[in-house]
Amino acid sequence: MILYGIPTCDTCKKAIRTLEAAGRDVTFRDIRKDPLSEAEIQEIVTEFGERVINKQSTSYRAFSDFLKASEPEAQIAAQPTVMKRPLIRDGASWTIGWDEAIEGRLTAG
């Protein structure tokens, strides 16, 4: 399982603690230090579409009007922290965000 995020994100930290406490092996990927490739960005956008962009984030609000009107791929390439977090890949399955339903699904079994 790979959790994509940034080390200062409280939700990412909570998700990692919860998953590890449930016995899950979690690899954390800091999207600032280890940026996503074009292929990874495309896969994520194919999975989630525009939902992957956190339009309430400071990163998004700082975008120019041109970048705000751009495709999600361009937004993520320009500033990876604009993605909603955490983004979790568990085998072939993806989840975005962290709530009770996602927690239950990823910690069960």
Side-chain angles (χ1 to χ4, degrees):
M1 173 181 294
I2 302 170
L3 187 143
Y4 300 82
I6 58 175
T8 56
C9 175
D10 290 336
T11 306
C12 291
K13 290 189 262 188
K14 178 182 177 184
I16 291 168
R17 281 193 308 270
T18 303
L19 291 165
E20 288 178 342
R24 299 298 309 261
D25 183 24
V26 181
T27 300
F28 174 72
R29 179 157 169 199
D30 183 341
I31 58 173
R32 283 187 186 143
K33 289 185 179 177
D34 186 9
L36 300 166
S37 69
E38 280 186 39
E40 289 170 317
I41 292 171
Q42 185 58 53
E43 184 177 357
I44 291 165
V45 172
T46 297
E47 181 73 26
F48 297 107
E50 291 189 15
R51 289 188 315 131
V52 74
I53 303 299
N54 181 357
K55 293 186 178 180
Q56 280 74 50
S57 72
T58 305
S59 299
Y60 182 83
R61 291 193 310 258
F63 280 173
S64 66
D65 289 340
F66 176 79
L67 198 50
K68 285 180 181 176
S70 297
E71 295 297 319
E73 294 89 344
Q75 294 173 352
I76 295 168
Q79 183 54 264
T81 59
V82 77
M83 286 190 329
K84 288 185 181 175
R85 299 180 301 266
L87 186 66
I88 303 170
R89 182 177 197 154
D90 187 18
S93 173
W94 288 92
T95 58
I96 192 168
W98 188 253
D99 59 23
E100 288 182 14
I102 291 170
E103 179 181 334
R105 191 167 62 247
L106 294 178
T107 59

XYZ file of all heavy atoms in Angstrom:
853
model
N 0.850 -1.173 0.000
C 0.000 0.000 0.000
C 0.896 1.237 0.000
O 1.830 1.323 0.778
C -0.880 -0.020 1.257
C -1.696 1.217 1.453
S -2.703 1.164 2.950
C -3.836 -0.152 2.562
N 0.573 2.170 -0.884
C 1.324 3.424 -0.962
C 0.381 4.575 -0.629
O -0.707 4.675 -1.194
C 1.921 3.641 -2.369
C 2.835 2.485 -2.759
C 2.688 4.972 -2.431
C 3.266 2.511 -4.219
N 0.808 5.413 0.284
C 0.040 6.600 0.633
C 0.805 7.802 0.091
O 1.952 8.037 0.445
C -0.131 6.719 2.149
C -1.062 7.839 2.600
C -1.863 7.386 3.810
C -0.313 9.117 2.908
N 0.162 8.530 -0.822
C 0.751 9.714 -1.432
C 0.286 10.937 -0.658
O -0.907 11.117 -0.446
C 0.297 9.853 -2.885
C 0.677 8.702 -3.768
C -0.082 7.535 -3.800
C 1.796 8.777 -4.589
C 0.257 6.467 -4.618
C 2.149 7.709 -5.419
C 1.376 6.570 -5.415
O 1.715 5.517 -6.227
N 1.225 11.776 -0.252
C 0.852 12.968 0.486
C 2.059 13.817 0.795
O 3.096 13.712 0.136
N 1.912 14.659 1.813
C 3.022 15.473 2.291
C 3.158 15.243 3.795
O 2.171 14.981 4.484
C 2.827 16.973 1.955
C 1.529 17.519 2.539
C 2.890 17.205 0.455
C 1.337 19.017 2.354
N 4.393 15.315 4.314
C 4.614 14.961 5.712
C 3.935 15.880 6.722
O 3.719 15.486 7.861
C 6.140 15.004 5.870
C 6.669 15.697 4.687
C 5.626 15.639 3.614
N 3.556 17.078 6.318
C 2.907 18.011 7.237
C 1.389 17.880 7.258
O 0.718 18.570 8.028
C 3.288 19.465 6.876
O 2.949 19.693 5.509
C 4.777 19.708 7.093
N 0.840 17.006 6.433
C -0.613 16.833 6.350
C -1.104 15.981 7.526
O -0.754 14.808 7.640
C -0.970 16.172 5.018
S -2.729 15.769 4.861
N -1.917 16.583 8.396
C -2.423 15.862 9.566
C -3.286 14.668 9.181
O -3.243 13.629 9.832
C -3.214 16.800 10.477
C -2.328 17.810 11.185
O -1.120 17.535 11.356
O -2.841 18.882 11.566
N -4.064 14.801 8.116
C -4.912 13.692 7.684
C -4.063 12.526 7.190
O -4.370 11.366 7.475
C -5.902 14.157 6.596
O -6.629 15.287 7.085
C -6.877 13.054 6.234
N -2.989 12.828 6.475
C -2.075 11.767 6.017
C -1.456 11.056 7.215
O -1.382 9.817 7.249
C -0.972 12.342 5.133
S -1.552 12.939 3.529
N -1.012 11.823 8.205
C -0.395 11.228 9.400
C -1.389 10.334 10.130
O -1.050 9.232 10.561
C 0.131 12.317 10.340
C 1.338 13.050 9.788
C 1.946 13.963 10.828
C 1.484 15.370 10.632
N 2.179 16.349 11.487
N -2.631 10.800 10.260
C -3.672 10.011 10.929
C -3.935 8.716 10.167
O -4.044 7.640 10.763
C -4.956 10.825 11.036
C -6.096 10.070 11.678
C -7.365 10.906 11.715
C -8.506 10.107 12.297
N -9.771 10.823 12.265
N -4.018 8.804 8.848
C -4.272 7.617 8.026
C -3.138 6.601 8.179
O -3.389 5.409 8.347
C -4.442 8.016 6.560
N -1.905 7.065 8.151
C -0.760 6.161 8.306
C -0.802 5.479 9.662
O -0.640 4.255 9.758
C 0.574 6.922 8.111
C 0.730 7.343 6.651
C 1.761 6.064 8.552
C 1.851 8.335 6.407
N -1.026 6.252 10.722
C -1.093 5.665 12.083
C -2.185 4.611 12.169
O -1.977 3.517 12.703
C -1.359 6.753 13.127
C -0.171 7.566 13.520
C -0.433 8.404 14.775
N -1.640 9.215 14.695
C -1.691 10.457 14.218
N -0.606 11.030 13.768
N -2.830 11.121 14.211
N -3.354 4.918 11.630
C -4.492 4.001 11.691
C -4.219 2.731 10.892
O -4.478 1.618 11.363
C -5.769 4.697 11.183
O -5.998 5.871 11.962
C -6.969 3.783 11.270
N -3.702 2.884 9.690
C -3.404 1.727 8.843
C -2.331 0.839 9.461
O -2.466 -0.383 9.478
C -2.990 2.195 7.442
C -4.108 2.832 6.613
C -3.534 3.588 5.419
C -5.120 1.788 6.172
N -1.270 1.453 9.971
C -0.201 0.666 10.593
C -0.695 -0.029 11.861
O -0.326 -1.174 12.118
C 1.019 1.543 10.876
C 1.756 1.914 9.599
C 2.944 2.831 9.820
O 3.041 3.487 10.892
O 3.790 2.905 8.893
N -1.549 0.630 12.644
C -2.115 0.017 13.844
C -2.976 -1.197 13.482
O -3.104 -2.141 14.265
C -2.934 1.036 14.634
N -3.548 -1.178 12.273
C -4.376 -2.294 11.801
C -3.517 -3.386 11.152
O -4.050 -4.358 10.613
C -5.419 -1.793 10.813
N -2.198 -3.207 11.183
C -1.305 -4.225 10.641
C -1.010 -4.087 9.162
O -0.417 -4.992 8.556
N -1.410 -2.980 8.561
C -1.144 -2.766 7.132
C 0.275 -2.238 6.944
O 0.764 -1.448 7.738
C -2.137 -1.774 6.530
C -3.604 -2.174 6.595
C -3.952 -3.452 5.844
N -3.483 -3.499 4.493
C -4.222 -3.226 3.416
N -5.481 -2.889 3.551
N -3.702 -3.304 2.214
N 0.915 -2.681 5.884
C 2.249 -2.210 5.525
C 2.071 -0.999 4.623
O 1.562 -1.131 3.505
C 3.016 -3.330 4.817
C 4.441 -2.934 4.486
O 4.991 -2.031 5.159
O 5.009 -3.525 3.547
N 2.469 0.185 5.115
C 2.236 1.431 4.385
C 3.572 2.056 3.988
O 4.446 2.249 4.822
C 1.452 2.448 5.249
C 1.201 3.734 4.478
C 0.159 1.858 5.748
N 3.700 2.361 2.723
C 4.843 3.120 2.219
C 4.356 4.532 1.981
O 3.388 4.741 1.250
C 5.369 2.521 0.897
O 5.778 1.183 1.132
C 6.527 3.335 0.351
N 5.012 5.504 2.630
C 4.633 6.906 2.450
C 5.453 7.493 1.313
O 6.663 7.327 1.256
C 4.889 7.703 3.729
C 4.645 9.179 3.559
C 3.357 9.663 3.429
C 5.704 10.062 3.510
C 3.131 11.024 3.247
C 5.487 11.421 3.338
C 4.199 11.897 3.212
N 4.789 8.179 0.407
C 5.484 8.853 -0.694
C 5.218 10.346 -0.612
O 4.087 10.803 -0.805
C 5.029 8.309 -2.038
C 5.740 9.022 -3.188
C 5.747 8.209 -4.415
N 6.197 8.999 -5.555
C 5.958 8.659 -6.800
N 5.286 7.552 -7.077
N 6.396 9.413 -7.782
N 6.257 11.082 -0.303
C 6.190 12.534 -0.221
C 6.169 13.078 -1.648
O 7.171 13.012 -2.354
C 7.403 13.055 0.550
C 7.385 14.564 0.746
O 6.665 15.271 0.005
O 8.112 15.033 1.641
N 5.034 13.607 -2.059
C 4.872 14.042 -3.451
C 5.659 15.305 -3.772
O 5.785 15.668 -4.941
C 3.382 14.210 -3.826
C 2.695 15.212 -2.905
C 2.691 12.867 -3.840
C 1.272 15.562 -3.288
N 6.204 15.951 -2.757
C 7.086 17.089 -3.016
C 8.502 16.600 -3.320
O 9.136 17.062 -4.249
C 7.131 18.030 -1.817
C 5.921 18.906 -1.673
C 6.161 19.899 -0.551
N 4.990 20.671 -0.275
C 4.628 21.044 0.935
N 5.335 20.709 1.985
N 3.545 21.775 1.106
N 8.981 15.686 -2.490
C 10.351 15.182 -2.654
C 10.465 14.159 -3.774
O 11.515 14.018 -4.387
C 10.845 14.551 -1.346
C 11.115 15.568 -0.270
C 11.712 14.913 0.948
C 11.999 15.953 2.017
N 12.516 15.347 3.229
N 9.404 13.425 -4.012
C 9.390 12.384 -5.043
C 8.180 12.631 -5.949
O 7.153 11.957 -5.828
C 9.318 11.004 -4.377
C 9.455 9.859 -5.351
O 9.770 10.093 -6.537
O 9.231 8.709 -4.914
N 8.283 13.625 -6.845
C 7.134 14.017 -7.669
C 6.578 12.870 -8.512
O 7.283 11.930 -8.869
C 7.698 15.110 -8.574
C 8.929 15.589 -7.892
C 9.472 14.405 -7.142
N 5.320 12.975 -8.808
C 4.645 11.995 -9.647
C 5.107 12.127 -11.093
O 5.333 13.236 -11.577
C 3.131 12.213 -9.583
C 2.491 12.085 -8.206
C 1.085 12.666 -8.227
C 2.473 10.652 -7.764
N 5.207 11.004 -11.772
C 5.537 11.022 -13.197
C 4.287 11.402 -13.985
O 3.167 11.373 -13.463
C 6.026 9.644 -13.640
O 4.942 8.715 -13.618
N 4.476 11.731 -15.264
C 3.327 12.033 -16.122
C 2.365 10.853 -16.166
O 1.147 11.029 -16.137
C 3.796 12.359 -17.541
C 4.314 13.760 -17.711
C 4.635 14.072 -19.165
O 3.871 13.643 -20.058
O 5.642 14.755 -19.394
N 2.912 9.637 -16.242
C 2.065 8.435 -16.306
C 1.273 8.265 -15.015
O 0.087 7.905 -15.047
C 2.921 7.203 -16.571
N 1.898 8.527 -13.868
C 1.187 8.415 -12.587
C 0.084 9.460 -12.485
O -1.032 9.160 -12.050
C 2.165 8.566 -11.416
C 3.093 7.391 -11.246
C 4.191 7.652 -10.246
O 4.784 8.752 -10.244
O 4.472 6.727 -9.454
N 0.396 10.682 -12.891
C -0.620 11.739 -12.866
C -1.796 11.351 -13.755
O -2.953 11.477 -13.368
C -0.020 13.098 -13.299
C 0.984 13.590 -12.249
C -1.126 14.133 -13.530
C 1.800 14.801 -12.673
N -1.506 10.848 -14.941
C -2.568 10.442 -15.863
C -3.427 9.338 -15.255
O -4.656 9.363 -15.356
C -1.978 9.976 -17.197
C -3.035 9.665 -18.234
C -3.933 10.845 -18.538
O -3.459 11.930 -18.850
N -5.238 10.656 -18.443
N -2.794 8.362 -14.617
C -3.538 7.259 -13.993
C -4.457 7.778 -12.887
O -5.618 7.377 -12.779
C -2.552 6.231 -13.428
C -3.224 5.011 -12.858
C -2.236 3.959 -12.363
O -1.010 4.146 -12.500
O -2.723 2.951 -11.823
N -3.950 8.693 -12.080
C -4.733 9.259 -10.983
C -5.915 10.070 -11.525
O -7.046 9.935 -11.053
C -3.828 10.113 -10.064
C -2.860 9.193 -9.301
C -4.655 10.968 -9.113
C -1.695 9.914 -8.661
N -5.669 10.896 -12.533
C -6.743 11.708 -13.113
C -7.760 10.819 -13.823
O -8.966 11.075 -13.762
C -6.172 12.805 -14.037
C -7.283 13.519 -14.796
C -5.353 13.806 -13.226
N -7.301 9.751 -14.454
C -8.231 8.807 -15.086
C -9.138 8.184 -14.032
O -10.335 8.015 -14.248
C -7.456 7.707 -15.847
O -6.708 8.343 -16.893
C -8.388 6.673 -16.438
N -8.577 7.878 -12.868
C -9.343 7.263 -11.774
C -10.342 8.240 -11.144
O -11.478 7.883 -10.876
C -8.380 6.734 -10.702
C -9.046 6.052 -9.542
C -9.608 4.681 -9.865
O -9.123 4.013 -10.798
O -10.557 4.261 -9.184
N -9.920 9.469 -10.881
C -10.736 10.396 -10.091
C -11.258 11.621 -10.838
O -12.116 12.329 -10.315
C -9.941 10.880 -8.872
C -9.581 9.785 -7.925
C -8.277 9.332 -7.839
C -10.541 9.183 -7.129
C -7.930 8.307 -6.973
C -10.213 8.163 -6.264
C -8.902 7.722 -6.188
N -10.724 11.898 -12.022
C -11.149 13.098 -12.734
C -10.832 14.357 -11.941
O -9.854 14.412 -11.200
N -11.680 15.348 -12.081
C -11.451 16.632 -11.405
C -11.607 16.541 -9.886
O -11.192 17.460 -9.173
C -12.377 17.698 -11.980
C -12.017 18.058 -13.403
C -12.767 19.264 -13.918
O -13.361 20.009 -13.110
O -12.751 19.456 -15.139
N -12.193 15.449 -9.399
C -12.337 15.275 -7.937
C -10.996 15.253 -7.227
O -10.922 15.495 -6.029
C -13.051 13.960 -7.595
C -14.494 13.925 -7.918
C -15.187 12.671 -7.378
N -14.455 11.440 -7.613
C -14.194 10.521 -6.675
N -14.587 10.676 -5.447
N -13.539 9.416 -6.984
N -9.920 14.944 -7.952
C -8.598 14.845 -7.339
C -8.059 16.225 -6.933
O -7.183 16.322 -6.101
C -7.594 14.116 -8.264
C -7.168 14.989 -9.427
C -6.395 13.616 -7.490
N -8.621 17.286 -7.489
C -8.146 18.641 -7.195
C -8.899 19.209 -5.993
O -10.122 19.239 -5.970
C -8.333 19.573 -8.416
C -7.607 19.008 -9.640
C -7.874 20.990 -8.094
C -6.113 18.855 -9.499
N -8.129 19.686 -5.004
C -8.711 20.311 -3.818
C -8.827 21.808 -4.092
O -7.874 22.560 -3.921
C -7.828 20.045 -2.597
C -8.403 20.663 -1.344
O -9.422 21.339 -1.373
N -7.747 20.431 -0.226
N -10.004 22.215 -4.508
C -10.209 23.604 -4.904
C -10.304 24.552 -3.710
O -10.329 25.765 -3.892
C -11.444 23.715 -5.800
C -11.215 23.010 -7.131
C -12.340 23.204 -8.092
C -12.000 22.509 -9.409
N -13.040 22.663 -10.396
N -10.327 24.018 -2.489
C -10.305 24.861 -1.304
C -8.882 25.060 -0.777
O -8.665 25.819 0.154
C -11.157 24.250 -0.182
C -12.646 24.501 -0.340
C -13.260 23.642 -1.435
O -13.068 22.439 -1.459
N -13.987 24.251 -2.342
N -7.920 24.386 -1.378
C -6.546 24.440 -0.866
C -5.882 25.785 -1.150
O -6.229 26.494 -2.099
C -5.697 23.329 -1.486
O -5.418 23.612 -2.849
N -4.912 26.107 -0.322
C -4.106 27.309 -0.530
C -3.399 27.229 -1.872
O -3.286 28.234 -2.581
C -3.075 27.448 0.606
O -3.770 27.423 1.851
C -2.293 28.732 0.498
N -2.924 26.038 -2.222
C -2.219 25.857 -3.500
C -3.122 26.241 -4.669
O -2.708 26.974 -5.569
C -1.767 24.401 -3.668
O -0.879 24.032 -2.657
N -4.358 25.752 -4.662
C -5.279 26.033 -5.759
C -5.624 27.522 -5.806
O -5.640 28.134 -6.875
C -6.547 25.195 -5.637
C -7.514 25.410 -6.774
C -7.352 24.732 -7.980
C -8.567 26.307 -6.664
C -8.222 24.936 -9.042
C -9.438 26.518 -7.716
C -9.268 25.832 -8.904
O -10.124 26.046 -9.947
N -5.892 28.100 -4.655
C -6.280 29.517 -4.611
C -5.167 30.429 -5.125
O -5.436 31.521 -5.615
C -6.720 29.904 -3.206
C -8.041 29.256 -2.808
C -8.625 29.876 -1.551
N -7.692 29.978 -0.458
C -7.643 29.162 0.589
N -8.500 28.162 0.684
N -6.766 29.339 1.539
N -3.908 29.965 -5.024
C -2.766 30.756 -5.493
C -2.547 30.640 -7.005
O -1.758 31.391 -7.572
C -1.501 30.331 -4.748
N -3.240 29.718 -7.650
C -3.084 29.537 -9.098
C -3.540 30.775 -9.860
O -4.482 31.461 -9.457
C -3.927 28.353 -9.595
C -3.336 26.994 -9.369
C -4.090 25.868 -9.659
C -2.057 26.804 -8.896
C -3.582 24.594 -9.486
C -1.524 25.540 -8.720
C -2.287 24.428 -9.015
N -2.920 30.986 -11.006
C -3.393 32.020 -11.928
C -4.729 31.555 -12.510
O -5.067 30.368 -12.447
C -2.376 32.205 -13.058
O -2.327 31.028 -13.855
N -5.459 32.475 -13.093
C -6.727 32.107 -13.733
C -6.492 31.081 -14.833
O -7.282 30.159 -15.021
C -7.435 33.340 -14.300
C -7.994 34.249 -13.206
O -8.172 33.765 -12.063
O -8.232 35.432 -13.491
N -5.387 31.239 -15.556
C -5.050 30.291 -16.623
C -4.883 28.886 -16.059
O -5.440 27.923 -16.593
C -3.762 30.736 -17.333
C -3.304 29.754 -18.377
C -3.898 29.717 -19.635
C -2.285 28.854 -18.099
C -3.482 28.807 -20.594
C -1.867 27.941 -19.062
C -2.466 27.913 -20.308
N -4.118 28.760 -14.962
C -3.886 27.435 -14.388
C -5.170 26.871 -13.769
O -5.442 25.671 -13.883
C -2.759 27.489 -13.356
C -2.110 26.166 -12.987
C -1.697 25.356 -14.212
C -0.907 26.385 -12.090
N -5.987 27.716 -13.172
C -7.274 27.243 -12.635
C -8.158 26.681 -13.738
O -8.936 25.761 -13.505
C -8.008 28.371 -11.907
C -7.435 28.697 -10.557
C -8.206 29.815 -9.887
C -7.606 30.152 -8.541
N -8.271 31.285 -7.899
N -8.038 27.227 -14.950
C -8.846 26.758 -16.082
C -8.206 25.565 -16.795
O -8.817 24.985 -17.677
C -9.054 27.901 -17.067
N -6.993 25.205 -16.390
C -6.268 24.105 -17.039
C -6.801 22.754 -16.592
O -7.549 22.647 -15.612
C -4.780 24.189 -16.697
O -4.226 25.375 -17.193
N -6.375 21.725 -17.309
C -6.741 20.350 -16.969
C -6.105 19.946 -15.641
O -5.039 20.468 -15.276
C -6.270 19.398 -18.072
C -6.954 19.621 -19.402
C -8.447 19.366 -19.349
O -8.876 18.393 -18.702
O -9.204 20.143 -19.958
N -6.707 18.993 -14.917
C -6.145 18.538 -13.651
C -4.692 18.060 -13.775
O -3.885 18.276 -12.862
C -7.067 17.396 -13.224
C -8.345 17.640 -13.935
C -7.982 18.343 -15.212
N -4.357 17.436 -14.905
C -2.981 16.955 -15.095
C -1.986 18.114 -15.009
O -0.933 17.996 -14.376
C -2.827 16.255 -16.462
C -3.600 14.974 -16.602
C -5.025 15.154 -17.122
O -5.564 16.280 -17.102
O -5.610 14.146 -17.551
N -2.314 19.227 -15.641
C -1.435 20.395 -15.626
C -1.360 21.004 -14.226
O -0.293 21.453 -13.788
C -1.924 21.436 -16.632
N -2.474 21.006 -13.522
C -2.498 21.559 -12.168
C -1.620 20.740 -11.218
O -0.847 21.295 -10.443
C -3.940 21.618 -11.659
C -4.794 22.590 -12.445
C -6.262 22.527 -12.066
O -6.702 21.665 -11.324
N -7.044 23.456 -12.609
N -1.730 19.417 -11.306
C -0.925 18.542 -10.444
C 0.550 18.638 -10.807
O 1.417 18.684 -9.927
C -1.418 17.084 -10.515
C -2.830 16.980 -9.932
C -0.454 16.142 -9.785
C -3.517 15.662 -10.203
N 0.853 18.692 -12.109
C 2.245 18.812 -12.539
C 2.855 20.122 -12.036
O 4.013 20.158 -11.624
C 2.343 18.717 -14.059
N 2.064 21.195 -12.041
C 2.551 22.503 -11.599
C 2.716 22.559 -10.084
O 3.661 23.161 -9.579
C 1.596 23.598 -12.061
N 1.800 21.937 -9.352
C 1.822 22.002 -7.891
C 1.160 20.743 -7.330
O -0.056 20.692 -7.156
C 1.084 23.257 -7.414
C 1.096 23.463 -5.928
C 2.485 23.457 -5.341
O 2.952 22.435 -4.856
N 3.163 24.585 -5.386
N 1.949 19.703 -7.024
C 1.379 18.432 -6.569
C 0.523 18.537 -5.304
O -0.385 17.740 -5.112
C 2.600 17.551 -6.313
C 3.754 18.229 -6.928
C 3.395 19.654 -7.136
N 0.777 19.551 -4.479
C 0.010 19.671 -3.237
C -1.436 20.091 -3.466
O -2.216 20.144 -2.519
C 0.689 20.666 -2.266
O 0.794 21.947 -2.907
C 2.062 20.175 -1.852
N -1.805 20.345 -4.719
C -3.194 20.687 -5.031
C -4.096 19.449 -4.999
O -5.317 19.567 -4.947
C -3.277 21.424 -6.386
C -3.136 20.476 -7.544
C -4.562 22.216 -6.507
N -3.489 18.263 -4.979
C -4.283 17.014 -4.913
C -4.938 16.869 -3.546
O -4.356 17.239 -2.531
C -3.384 15.786 -5.112
C -2.930 15.581 -6.493
S -2.113 13.974 -6.740
C -1.351 13.609 -5.200
N -6.134 16.310 -3.547
C -6.761 15.948 -2.283
C -5.917 14.849 -1.652
O -5.350 14.002 -2.342
C -8.188 15.461 -2.503
C -9.122 16.569 -2.883
C -10.556 16.086 -2.979
C -11.449 17.244 -3.378
N -12.819 16.810 -3.607
N -5.848 14.851 -0.339
C -5.018 13.885 0.367
C -5.797 13.244 1.502
O -6.716 13.854 2.017
C -3.773 14.580 0.953
C -2.890 15.221 -0.089
C -1.682 15.880 0.535
N -1.994 16.917 1.503
C -2.078 18.209 1.215
N -1.890 18.642 -0.007
N -2.356 19.090 2.150
N -5.379 12.065 1.909
C -4.359 11.244 1.268
C -4.904 10.538 0.031
O -6.092 10.292 -0.085
C -3.985 10.224 2.330
C -5.230 10.064 3.146
C -5.895 11.429 3.130
N -4.000 10.233 -0.840
C -4.288 9.428 -2.022
C -3.615 8.085 -1.748
O -2.427 8.040 -1.482
C -3.704 10.101 -3.256
C -4.030 9.482 -4.597
C -5.519 9.602 -4.892
C -3.246 10.171 -5.690
N -4.392 7.010 -1.743
C -3.871 5.701 -1.346
C -4.059 4.704 -2.474
O -5.160 4.562 -3.009
C -4.572 5.190 -0.064
C -4.392 6.209 1.069
C -4.047 3.809 0.319
C -5.237 5.926 2.294
N -2.971 4.013 -2.779
C -3.024 2.925 -3.762
C -2.804 1.626 -3.003
O -1.787 1.427 -2.355
C -1.962 3.094 -4.825
C -2.055 2.001 -5.853
C -1.055 2.186 -6.951
N -1.479 1.365 -8.073
C -1.175 1.609 -9.317
N -0.458 2.657 -9.628
N -1.584 0.812 -10.267
N -3.785 0.759 -3.098
C -3.723 -0.549 -2.450
C -3.863 -1.593 -3.552
O -4.980 -1.924 -3.966
C -4.834 -0.670 -1.414
C -4.732 -1.938 -0.582
O -3.643 -2.550 -0.550
O -5.738 -2.312 0.038
N -2.726 -2.041 -4.071
C -2.754 -2.939 -5.219
C -3.251 -2.176 -6.431
O -2.703 -1.148 -6.790
N -4.320 -2.662 -7.036
C -4.890 -1.992 -8.211
C -5.988 -1.002 -7.829
O -6.557 -0.342 -8.680
C -5.447 -3.033 -9.177
N -6.282 -0.903 -6.544
C -7.385 -0.073 -6.066
C -6.871 1.267 -5.537
O -5.842 1.331 -4.861
C -8.110 -0.839 -4.948
O -9.076 -0.042 -4.340
N -7.603 2.330 -5.820
C -7.270 3.679 -5.366
C -8.361 4.207 -4.434
O -9.537 3.916 -4.623
C -7.200 4.633 -6.542
C -6.038 4.485 -7.449
C -5.975 3.720 -8.581
C -4.765 5.110 -7.335
N -4.742 3.856 -9.167
C -3.986 4.705 -8.430
C -4.213 5.995 -6.394
C -2.677 5.148 -8.613
C -2.917 6.440 -6.596
C -2.159 6.014 -7.692
N -7.958 5.003 -3.462
C -8.909 5.773 -2.660
C -8.358 7.184 -2.519
O -7.146 7.402 -2.594
C -9.141 5.176 -1.247
O -7.903 5.108 -0.555
C -9.768 3.807 -1.319
N -9.267 8.109 -2.302
C -8.870 9.500 -2.114
C -9.597 10.034 -0.893
O -10.777 9.768 -0.689
C -9.181 10.334 -3.373
C -8.516 11.692 -3.291
C -10.643 10.433 -3.632
C -8.529 12.448 -4.603
N -8.853 10.730 -0.045
C -9.421 11.261 1.183
C -9.346 10.246 2.307
O -8.803 9.152 2.147
N -9.884 10.633 3.456
C -9.870 9.760 4.620
C -11.120 10.027 5.427
O -11.331 11.129 5.935
C -8.621 10.000 5.468
C -8.431 9.019 6.565
C -8.615 9.227 7.899
C -8.017 7.654 6.441
N -8.351 8.081 8.594
C -7.972 7.099 7.729
C -7.688 6.840 5.359
C -7.617 5.783 7.968
C -7.325 5.535 5.587
C -7.286 5.014 6.885
N -11.986 9.033 5.510
C -13.183 9.116 6.331
C -13.448 7.736 6.925
O -12.673 6.798 6.698
C -14.380 9.647 5.539
C -14.738 8.791 4.323
O -14.405 7.588 4.285
O -15.383 9.334 3.403
N -14.521 7.598 7.669
C -14.805 6.320 8.338
C -14.989 5.181 7.342
O -14.547 4.059 7.584
C -16.037 6.443 9.237
C -15.778 7.255 10.489
C -16.996 7.336 11.387
O -17.965 6.565 11.187
O -16.979 8.168 12.312
N -15.641 5.442 6.225
C -15.882 4.389 5.228
C -14.565 3.901 4.627
O -14.339 2.689 4.508
C -16.811 4.895 4.134
N -13.695 4.833 4.261
C -12.397 4.451 3.687
C -11.564 3.739 4.734
O -10.951 2.695 4.469
C -11.662 5.687 3.123
C -12.399 6.200 1.893
C -10.207 5.354 2.796
C -11.922 7.540 1.385
N -11.546 4.262 5.957
C -10.813 3.625 7.051
C -11.283 2.196 7.247
O -10.479 1.259 7.339
C -10.980 4.421 8.336
C -10.267 3.818 9.528
C -10.464 4.621 10.810
O -10.703 5.835 10.744
O -10.370 3.999 11.884
N -12.596 1.997 7.296
C -13.152 0.664 7.497
C -12.771 -0.300 6.379
O -12.417 -1.445 6.640
N -12.831 0.183 5.168
C -12.500 -0.666 4.007
C -11.020 -1.055 4.007
O -10.669 -2.197 3.710
C -12.880 0.076 2.730
C -12.839 -0.794 1.495
C -13.509 -0.160 0.285
N -12.873 1.079 -0.156
C -13.411 2.297 -0.098
N -14.635 2.443 0.370
N -12.785 3.358 -0.528
N -10.138 -0.116 4.348
C -8.700 -0.374 4.265
C -8.117 -1.065 5.495
O -7.033 -1.619 5.422
C -7.932 0.924 3.987
C -8.201 1.566 2.628
C -7.429 2.865 2.492
C -7.842 0.603 1.494
N -8.838 -1.040 6.604
C -8.326 -1.696 7.805
C -8.987 -3.037 8.085
O -8.553 -3.776 8.946
C -8.480 -0.791 9.063
O -9.867 -0.467 9.240
C -7.650 0.471 8.922
N -10.029 -3.363 7.325
C -10.740 -4.636 7.538
C -9.872 -5.806 7.052
O -9.131 -5.691 6.095
C -12.055 -4.631 6.776
N -10.032 -6.906 7.747
C -9.413 -8.154 7.304
C -7.971 -8.183 7.546
O -7.149 -8.899 7.261
